[in-house]
Structure formats: structure tokens, C-alpha cells
Amino acid sequence: MADTPTVKIPTTDCDVLIVGSGPVGMALALELALHRVSFRIIDKLHAPSHTSRALIIQPRTLELFSRYGAAEELIPRGRILQGMAICLDGKPAGVIPLNEFKSAETRFPLPLNISQAETERFLLEALSSRGIAIERSLTATRIVQDDNGVTTTLESHDGRKKDVRSKYVIGCDGARSFVRPAVDMDFKGSTYSQPFLLCDVHIRNSLRRQDQGLLQLSREGMFAIFPIRQDLFRVVVSGLAAEFGPQGDTSSVPTLEHFQSLYDKFTPPGSGTLEDPVWISRFRLHVRGVDKYRVRRVFVAGDAAHISSPVGGKGMNTGIQDAINLGWKLALVLQGQVKDADAFLDTYHTERYPVGQELLQSTDRMFTFMTSTNPFFIPIRNFAVRYILPWLITTDWWNKGIYRFLSMFGVTYRKTSAIVGTATGFKGPVRGGDRLPDVKLLSSSSRGLQPTTMQALCVGGSHHLLLFSGSQSTKQTNELEYARDEVLRVVAFEMKIHFIHRQSTQDRTAIFNQEYLCPAGVAEEIAMKQFGFCEEFLPGYILVRPDGYVAHIGPLAALDELLLFLRAHFGAPAEDDDSTPEHDSTFEEDSTSELCLTTQQDSTFGAGSSFEHGSTAEGNFTPVSFSSLTTS
């Protein structure tokens, strides 16, 4: 990772205490570090766990990690999943080809199969590079909150106890959370009756595709194979096939030989031999969720808030996204940048609770569909898999829908959140609360015009204001500058401004620092229509939150609505302070080609550096061909 500023972590009291250092706790720590919030992160384990539970990092999570300049370094540690083969009673029923309906609106179009142990190792390295250490062998044993803060009693492995005072406590301590019951959060749900067997194992001499998973459904249960890296795979068995021993015993851990017998039974000849298991386990699955994500100054995230079946590979991803959603909000509250701290923090529940509920419900439906042993349901499932699924795979609407679901690009806050909005009458496909699409742009560098993307601009911990021009007229440029100045007058928090011009086919003048171009031709049409900024709505604006979701969007004619939105939720600059909020000026005296890349790297923990080379999840960045590029 690039050299990054370190955050001073206090040894006693702090603003935020994170309980639990799994992927969710470490993601929250990274987010707080990005915003320079004082925190401590503790864990009851004396060392990281080496077991590999969650297996998939979805494209949306990779996009969020890219805000730390981290995603590109994580990808080589796993394997990009190209598809999933489906079999029914040993006969092929089709392949869900992820690589055929991936989105072009992202640098990370496909899911990354990677062990949770490797993900945690990566996040730990990211924290260490920022001077952040996890305090281990510390268990939270008591939580008492009042109007001014929270007192948490921590007990070390040798029985010594110490009280820690913090303004907020976040429970990232998993399904067996101490934090959750300590503040009387209900955790309702049930346990699935089916037993499960799991084995992370090397497979030798296999003729199977290394980048494709396998799901085998039969009356005996479910058998699945997921690639992790190189020759390491996860084998999962459920139902009758997971029972072993003289009387179908499920109380002990199976042997490698037992897994080999199942592997030989459910895979075709030439699938290879299982060797050198990394982890063998027997377990049961649960589906549970809390009724609220916040009780005054105490919050929960990840498995402490929701646990589900691993179907779809979204559980850990949902938890990481919980943490990022909460982290930037805590930062603004602690910095005194919001009008109503309680109402602002309540949006953590209102935004993330529906996402957690959707996770529980959707994974429950999929899990039941795949693993049911109901004799009346099995014929219906078999008919659907054998005859309907092959047809669905050929339809564009189904592919797009399943991709949005699996990638988590479909997560939106537009109908649930009080801190997102859309200008009156604006009918674009992207609304307040939606993910910002990663549309391609052009910027200036020492090598001339270079490809970049909108998400590559919106990195770091600040808000970002994207101002879109219409034609390249002086009048519209003045309108964008006026909008910039008006917005900066009403906010006190850090905001970065980016001018995005429509590409002219006439002019070839230089573009300035923090100015970007929507490429001419087809790419321009995609970029503008993607946001609804047709001629009727240009010029326009998009206010982007630190977590990469649209806070407010509309035509520039609706600027007053944006200003009212900002005044309603955020604090204004002090009247006696003549200084302006920190932001990147659109025009600099030195408008040399290096400025665009330099400003992208400011205060982002190196996030800009990875984009200069245009790397993506699939290799080198390949921009669309612009045969008639011009600048203005």
C-alpha cells in the first residue's frame, strides 16, 4: 500500500470503542481512520482466527475498499469467479455465467473468491500500515451508557479489569455478541435443521475449471464446490449427504476420507483427489436479525446485527457495508458537522435495517429452494432447475437482475433515508440514495488525456460535488462556478468539487485541475443518460456521500433545493471565520498536467495512486475507443 498518514490511537479513553476485530470491526476501524476519528479496537482472541468462514467479496464491497486504495492489492490474493455450474441428480442443468452479464459501470465487475482468513490478514496489514494495532485478549464484560458517553469494563486474559470511557461503542463481535444483549437488543430468528459439512482442501489432478463453482442438487441434499485460490477449494455438503457414521451421526467432525467418498459420488470422473485439508468442520446455519441497530450510544454491525445462510455470498459483505455506512456518520457527528446528531445517527438503522432484512429473507428463500427435503417440493424444484433455469440464463432481464442482486449494486437508500434527496421533477435513473455508477471520464496528465472514472474521483473521506456542464459556453461555466461557491458557503465539512464538461467536437483547449470530460460520441451519451442529464436537465449536479452513494441529485436550476437540503442536515461555517472550508479549487495558478492526479490522492490514504495506472479486477484498464477526442 502507498505511504499513508497514521492516526494516533489513544491507550485510554477514546471517541469510539470497537468490540470485535473480524472483517467488520477492521473495516470500521479503517473508515474511522480515514476520517481521523479517535478509536480503540479490541478482541477477546489472543490471535486472529485462521478458519475461513465467508468466502466471497462482492463487486460493491471492492468498490468501497477502493476508497482506501486497497481493492487492487486484495484481488491477487483470491480468484475471480467466472460462473457457477448447476447439476441436478448428477446431470448438468446449466451454467450461470457471471462473466457474460457483468456490468461495464465498474472497475470490479466480478465477485472475488477469497478466504475470510486472507481477507482478515489483508485488513490487518492495512491497519498496521496506518499505525493501528488491535488490542487482543480483552473481553467486554459490562456496558453502561449515559447522556455523555459509555463506560465499558474490559477484562484481560489474566482477570484484570479496567473501565474505558468512550462516546460510542460499536459491537462488531459476531453472532455471539456481548454488546447486543448488553443493551437489550432482540435477536430473533431460527436455526436450520439441515446439518452441514465443510472442508477447505487442495484438489490435485483435477480437470475441472478452476474459476467456476459447482452446485449439485439431489434428493440426498446439496453438494457444492467453490474455488478459493490456485488449487484450494471449499467443499460444502448438506442434507442426508451430510450425515455420516453408523446411525447418521452428526455430532463429530468428518474425516478427509469421508469427504473424498462424497466427492467421488457427486463429481464426474477426472475431478481429482482431495489432499492436505486446511479446515474441516461440521456446523448448522441460523437466520437471525436484531430489531434495532442502535440503542442510544451503542450500535451493532455485521453478524452481531444479522446472521444468514452463506447462499449468495453476501453476509460478510453486508456487515462490511454496515461498518462503512456507520463510520462516516460517526465522524461527522463527532466533528460537530451535523444539525441533529441523534437524527443523523438514526439513519444508520433506517438505511441498514432494510438491507439486513432483505439479506435474511432472500438467503432464506434461496437456501430453502436448494436444500429442501420436502417430498412435495422436490419435484417442483427439479422441474424449475431442469427446464426453467436454462431458459432464464438466456434472458437479458434475468441476468441483469441476478447480477444487481449478487453484486450488491442494487442496494439503495432512496425510499428509506432522511438524508438523501432528489430534485423536484428530476426523472433520471439515478436518484438520491443510489450507488454512484462508475462512469468513465477523461482527465489531464503529463501523458495527455487519460481515462479515469467517477468513483475514482470520489475517494477519501470527504463529500464530493460533481457539477455537469452542458455545451462548452462561458455562461454555463460561470453557472458551475456560482453553484460551487454557493454550496461551499453553507457547509463546514470537507467537500471536493469536480467540474465535468460535455466533450465538444469543436474545441481543443486545455482542461484545468479538477475538471474532467465526458468523452465524445457514444461514451458521452452513456455518461449523460446514465444520470438523466439530457439537454433538458443540463447543467446538473450530484452530491456524493463519503460512502459512494448519491446524497442529492438534480439540474442546476434546482440548486436552491440542494442548498436547503444541506442547511437542513449539516452545520454551516462559523460566521466569524473568514476562511473557506477545505476543498480543491477548480482553477489553480499552476494548471500543469500533474495536478489532477495529485489532488485525487489528497487525504485518501493513497486511493488516487492506484487509479493512475487504471488497474481493474480483470487486468489493465481498457478505455473505450475515442477516435475524435477534443478538449475544451
Side-chain angles (χ1 to χ4, degrees), residues 41 204 253 384:
I41 176 170
R204 311 297 186 196
V253 177

Side-chain angles (χ1 to χ4, degrees), residues 323-450:
I324 293 172
N325 182 286
L326 178 59
W328 73 269
K329 293 175 180 177
L330 284 171
L332 284 188
V333 168
L334 289 165
Q335 294 160 5
Q337 302 286 6
V338 301
K339 282 288 184 67
D340 186 332
D342 275 337
F344 197 77
L345 291 177
D346 278 343
T347 66
Y348 171 60
H349 171 85
T350 57
E351 290 185 354
R352 296 306 298 173
Y353 177 77
V355 176
Q357 289 296 298
E358 190 275 338
L359 168 74
L360 300 180
Q361 295 165 11
S362 62
T363 57
D364 181 60
R365 289 193 295 266
M366 290 190 296
F367 179 85
T368 301
F369 178 84
M370 293 190 302
T371 64
S372 176
T373 56
N374 186 316
F376 298 101
F377 177 75
I378 288 176
I380 299 174
R381 182 194 67 190
N382 290 356
F383 179 86
V385 172
R386 183 173 284 118
Y387 299 107
I388 299 178
L389 180 64
W391 171 74
L392 285 175
I393 291 173
T394 65
T395 62
D396 186 61
W397 64 268
W398 187 84
N399 284 338
K400 288 182 178 178
I402 198 69
Y403 180 79
R404 281 178 60 81
F405 170 76
L406 292 175
S407 66
M408 306 184 76
F409 289 162
V411 172
T412 179
Y413 308 129
R414 65 162 72 174
K415 295 181 180 180
T416 60
S417 179
I419 58 170
V420 302
T422 303
T424 304
F426 186 72
K427 303 297 184 182
V430 176
R431 308 290 181 87
D434 292 351
R435 159 190 170 266
L436 178 73
D438 202 15
V439 172
K440 295 179 176 67
L441 299 173
L442 297 174
S443 67
S444 178
S445 78
S446 59
R447 298 187 296 271
L449 289 177
Q450 295 295 314

Side-chain angles (χ1 to χ4, degrees), residues 445-504:
S445 78
S446 59
R447 298 187 296 271
L449 289 177
Q450 295 295 314
T452 186
T453 68
M454 286 190 181
Q455 287 188 16
L457 305 186
C458 299
V459 295
S462 66
H463 279 72
H464 294 260
L465 182 62
L466 307 177
L467 294 171
F468 294 77
S469 74
S471 60
Q472 291 299 301
S473 66
T474 301
K475 178 178 181 294
Q476 287 185 327
T477 299
N478 290 340
E479 289 176 347
L480 300 189
E481 292 177 349
Y482 172 80
R484 172 200 63 195
D485 295 340
E486 288 299 297
V487 167
L488 291 175
R489 285 192 182 98
V490 302
V491 297
F493 56 77
E494 181 184 1
M495 182 178 293
K496 296 185 179 180
I497 313 295
H498 311 279
F499 283 12
I500 299 176
H501 299 296
R502 282 182 88 173
Q503 180 64 44
S504 169

Side-chain angles (χ1 to χ4, degrees), residues 21 168 208 256-257 264 321 325 332 420 501 515 562 570:
S21 68
Y168 299 99
R208 291 193 67 259
L256 179 63
E257 289 72 23
D264 293 339
Q321 293 173 34
N325 182 286
L332 284 188
V420 302
H501 299 296
E515 290 193 312
L562 172 61
F570 304 101

Side-chain angles (χ1 to χ4, degrees), residues 6-179:
T6 60
V7 178
K8 183 178 180 181
I9 306 301
T11 57
T12 54
D13 293 355
C14 56
D15 285 336
V16 179
L17 175 66
I18 304 171
V19 181
S21 68
V24 176
M26 286 192 281
L28 178 58
L30 276 175
E31 188 68 18
L32 295 177
L34 183 68
H35 295 275
R36 289 167 173 76
V37 171
S38 164
F39 68 90
R40 294 175 67 177
I41 176 170
I42 67 165
D43 199 286
K44 62 183 179 181
L45 298 178
H46 72 279
S49 172
H50 295 294
T51 56
S52 176
R53 297 167 296 282
L55 191 63
I56 296 176
I57 298 182
Q58 298 292 357
R60 181 55 181 154
T61 305
L62 290 172
E63 286 185 342
L64 293 172
F65 279 165
S66 74
R67 297 162 53 251
Y68 312 120
E72 290 82 356
E73 298 179 28
L74 179 60
I75 289 168
R77 305 188 184 205
R79 183 183 294 278
I80 296 296
L81 186 63
Q82 300 288 337
M84 197 76 184
I86 311 295
C87 293
L88 184 63
D89 295 326
K91 297 179 181 179
V95 176
I96 299 177
L98 298 177
N99 59 340
E100 290 188 11
F101 56 83
K102 64 190 180 185
S103 172
E105 301 164 9
T106 178
R107 290 156 291 152
F108 312 103
L110 292 173
L112 176 68
N113 270 27
I114 183 171
S115 73
Q116 181 174 327
E118 188 62 41
T119 299
E120 292 185 9
R121 187 177 299 112
F122 172 79
L123 292 171
L124 183 60
E125 292 170 4
L127 291 175
S128 297
S129 71
R130 290 155 173 79
I132 300 165
I134 297 171
E135 301 176 59
R136 297 196 173 276
S137 298
L138 286 177
T139 303
T141 60
R142 180 172 171 267
I143 295 177
V144 178
Q145 54 180 325
D146 54 50
D147 291 341
N148 299 313
V150 187
T151 300
T152 305
T153 301
L154 303 182
E155 183 174 343
S156 61
H157 65 284
D158 58 4
R160 290 183 298 171
K161 296 183 178 181
K162 184 175 183 179
D163 287 345
V164 172
R165 187 73 175 166
S166 61
K167 294 178 181 176
Y168 299 99
V169 170
I170 320 298
C172 303
D173 47 345
R176 296 183 177 89
S177 170
F178 168 80
V179 174

